[in-house]
Amino acid sequence: MEAAAPSREEIERGEILRRYRALLRAVKPFMKKGDKKQLRLAFDMALDAHKDMRRKSGEPYIYHPLEVARIVVEEIGLGTTSVVCALLHDVVEDTEITLEQIEKEFGNVVARIIDGLTKISGLYNKSTNTSDQAENFRKMLLTLADDVRVILIKLADRLHNMRTLDSMPKDKQLKIASETSFLFAPLAHRLGLYAVKSELEDLSLKYTDPEIYKDIARRLQETKLKRDRFIRDFIVPIRKEMEALGLPFEIKGRPKSINSIYNKMRKQGVEFDEVYDLFAIRIILESPAETEKSDCWRAYSIVTDMYQPNPNRLRDWVSTPKANGYESLHTTVMGAGGRWVEVQIRTKRMDEIAEKGLAAHWKYKESGNDNAFDAWLTRIREVLENPEPNALEFIDNFKLQLYAKDVFAFTPKGDLIKLAAGATALDFAFEIHTDIGMKCIGAKVNHKIVPLSYPLQNGDQVEILTSSIQKPKSDWLKFVTTAKAKSKIKQAIKDYRREMADTGRDIFEKKMKQWKTQITEELMNKILSQFKLQSPVDLHYLIATERIDLAQLKAFVLEPNKAAESRASSRIDEKNFGNLVRSNSSAADDLLIIDDKISKIDYTLASCCNPIPGDEIFGFVTISEGIKIHRVNCPNAVHLLSKYSYRVVKSKWTQASEVSFLAGIRITGLDDIGIISGISQVISTDLKVNMRSISVLSNDGMFEGTIMVFVNDTKHLDTLMRKLLQVKGVLKVTRFDSHPD
Ligand code: MN
């Protein structure tokens, strides 16, 4: 008889059981009589309740509670009750099982914890608004911290969700990752769960800033061999002396978390190569409780005998532990090649507390001592309790010094953006996306229009207004704070300047040919001195941006010696010259938006009616695209003017400009062979108008063409239309409003 291949169900069942047994092995050291039965009961209930559910990755749902339970015991150090709760943490929320059933099977404590976990999920899924979110978070901490295991299991749940975030859709990834760095990582820190905190931060960064994350991870990988060698050499003499001490010990060299390296780079404004403490050496002593403190100091003395310590960098959390229970002795010493190395000295007990939080602490007290655990819960509650009535301030205080240098703001959709304190609306725009930063014309913070230089406050909701014609400006550099925004702006200005200078050089060379003059070094120097310029690039740039009068240049080039006396007459707007890109956006200066308060805000031209200078226009404040300029006779105008009059901004053109605007023309006529060439003759040759597109329909001897052209203003357009009407065969020429796209 042939054995059938195992089905997917059978394979999965085997895997589920394998994972369950691994969990049992991990809980074993904590198990008391009767615990095994409880665990089996919880596992069976969860398995059955989730049997038809799958995770986004396609795996059986039960993998998730099993994994959360494993984290709870192995990485946080909690016992059986918490493992039972972790196994059941999603059943009340996601399945038919009720809290009453849980209470009947597992008793009051488990039911209370599950209830807490269910309530937290509820808070999360419903809250969208910043202050709601903060207020809910505060409530969650204060009311649900009745049993701090609720929060610890929630952290394990979040950790597993972060580890498996890859299978979530992109927008969810960002939301969950932001929330993690905003709320859960500081929470883990506050509870002393350093390992969990670092991993949560690294995983958040992986999704909120994938480029930076990958870059640092790659560089860490690349420098690993070199670093390992350095650590090995550094340790050798210490190891020798420590062995002579006769105390069992372990020395590890551990790289710092990607997030903490990134924070260093940001805070100190340095590159990866310049971060000196990429790793810390950790000496872990196996020391009996009575001599812990003196043993740590003995190790300290060995280290500082070998290497010169930096007296400013000694931290003694052995004598006075941190509020969250952290105990360790830190010193920074000078290693080979003048490199500072951080050395952390602690005992095994201290190390476990540092990694897993205070929960681990109780393993070292008499086991089964409920009073001790209760005392711990009380202490955590005290830490979390805060009389501050304002939820946002509570969050700020809560985040301790760890995040004091950050500012948290939200997108209109509620996604969280973390920036360094002092960051402005423009930084925010660049943080969302480089393109959004480049096209940024203003922002609305908490629904009010603010300038780009507005410094963000915690909890601000920021909506970025953009315009397709916007270009980065050099004065932006005065009010962006992030390195990312700065370098992108500088690069864009440089690129633009180089591009314009190239164009300008072509124009200059052509003109010089026309003027029948050789470009000699001598002449160029005279020109530069005449116009007070530093280099030919400056000259080319000014020519291309039309900020130098060509007639004047011509006069000078033809008679340089004569003109030299009238130097004062050359007119270059020197003040504006520093502002290299402003001239390109001169369209903005040509539009006068009458309301003074927002006259600095840029605009976009509505594509439904393609307004051009000369048209009667009005501005309309849109929700997400800044101010849109419509023609008064735009088909949408009546609706907008009547329904949203409060969002209408009176606008008018100030003067004809050199900038071109898109307009549509419809031509009907007799389908004559010559008609198209006649039309293009007028457009391209006679009037030198740029055409963006032309499409032609022929029908029973009739011709209908739609043309999109770039014109300066209505006068320009009228001339063009008049000329087109004169083309043989053309019967009618009209302007049309709608974009053909
Ligand atoms: Mn879950």
Side-chain angles (χ1 to χ4, degrees), residues 12 29 110 124 126 151 164 217 224 247 269 345 381 383 387 401 487 531 621 630:
E12 280 176 358
V110 170
Y124 269 92
K126 277 177 213 100
I151 293 174
T164 52
K224 189 173 182 304
L247 196 67
I345 301 163
R381 245 196 320 276
V383 172
Q401 303 89 332
S487 72
F531 290 93
V621 182
H630 293 264

Side-chain angles (χ1 to χ4, degrees), residues 612 614-615 665 687 711 713-725 733 735:
I612 61 176
D615 281 328
I665 299 172
L687 286 175
V711 293
D713 52 25
T714 43
K715 231 172 79 196
H716 194 188
L717 183 65
D718 287 344
T719 313
L720 176 63
M721 287 167 66
R722 227 177 21 250
K723 288 249 180 177
L724 285 170
L725 199 53
V733 178
R735 178 177 175 192

Side-chain angles (χ1 to χ4, degrees), residues 55 61 64 68 89-90 157 161:
R55 299 210 91 207
Y61 194 87
H64 170 62
V68 173
H89 81 272
D90 277 333
D157 180 32
N161 285 335

Side-chain angles (χ1 to χ4, degrees), residues 199-211:
E199 191 178 345
L200 286 177
E201 282 179 341
D202 276 7
L203 287 168
S204 304
L205 188 68
K206 183 177 165 192
Y207 294 96
T208 55
D209 252 315
E211 267 177 61

Side-chain angles (χ1 to χ4, degrees), residues 308-406:
Q308 180 62 38
N310 180 337
N312 297 324
R313 302 281 304 255
L314 173 64
R315 300 285 179 272
D316 173 15
W317 289 302
V318 167
S319 308
T320 346
K322 284 192 185 180
N324 62 19
Y326 184 78
E327 295 171 73
S328 192
L329 204 55
H330 290 195
T331 179
T332 301
V333 299
M334 179 80 77
R339 230 175 127 173
W340 290 110
V341 180
E342 185 180 301
V343 183
Q344 305 174 346
I345 301 163
R346 55 175 81 150
T347 64
K348 204 159 178 239
R349 180 192 65 81
M350 297 173 184
D351 190 51
E352 207 154 320
I353 291 174
E355 295 280 308
K356 294 183 183 169
L358 272 170
H361 186 62
W362 303 105
K363 285 205 298 196
Y364 293 90
K365 306 277 169 188
E366 303 111 283
S367 57
N369 186 342
D370 282 342
N371 288 341
F373 193 75
D374 279 350
W376 178 55
L377 291 187
T378 310
R379 177 146 170 230
I380 295 293
R381 245 196 320 276
E382 278 166 12
V383 172
L384 294 174
E385 255 159 43
N386 194 308
E388 183 51 61
N390 182 313
L392 282 174
E393 275 180 44
F394 171 83
I395 294 286
D396 286 348
N397 296 339
F398 172 78
K399 283 201 249 81
L400 292 174
Q401 303 89 332
L402 181 67
Y403 287 142
K405 281 173 183 154
D406 286 331

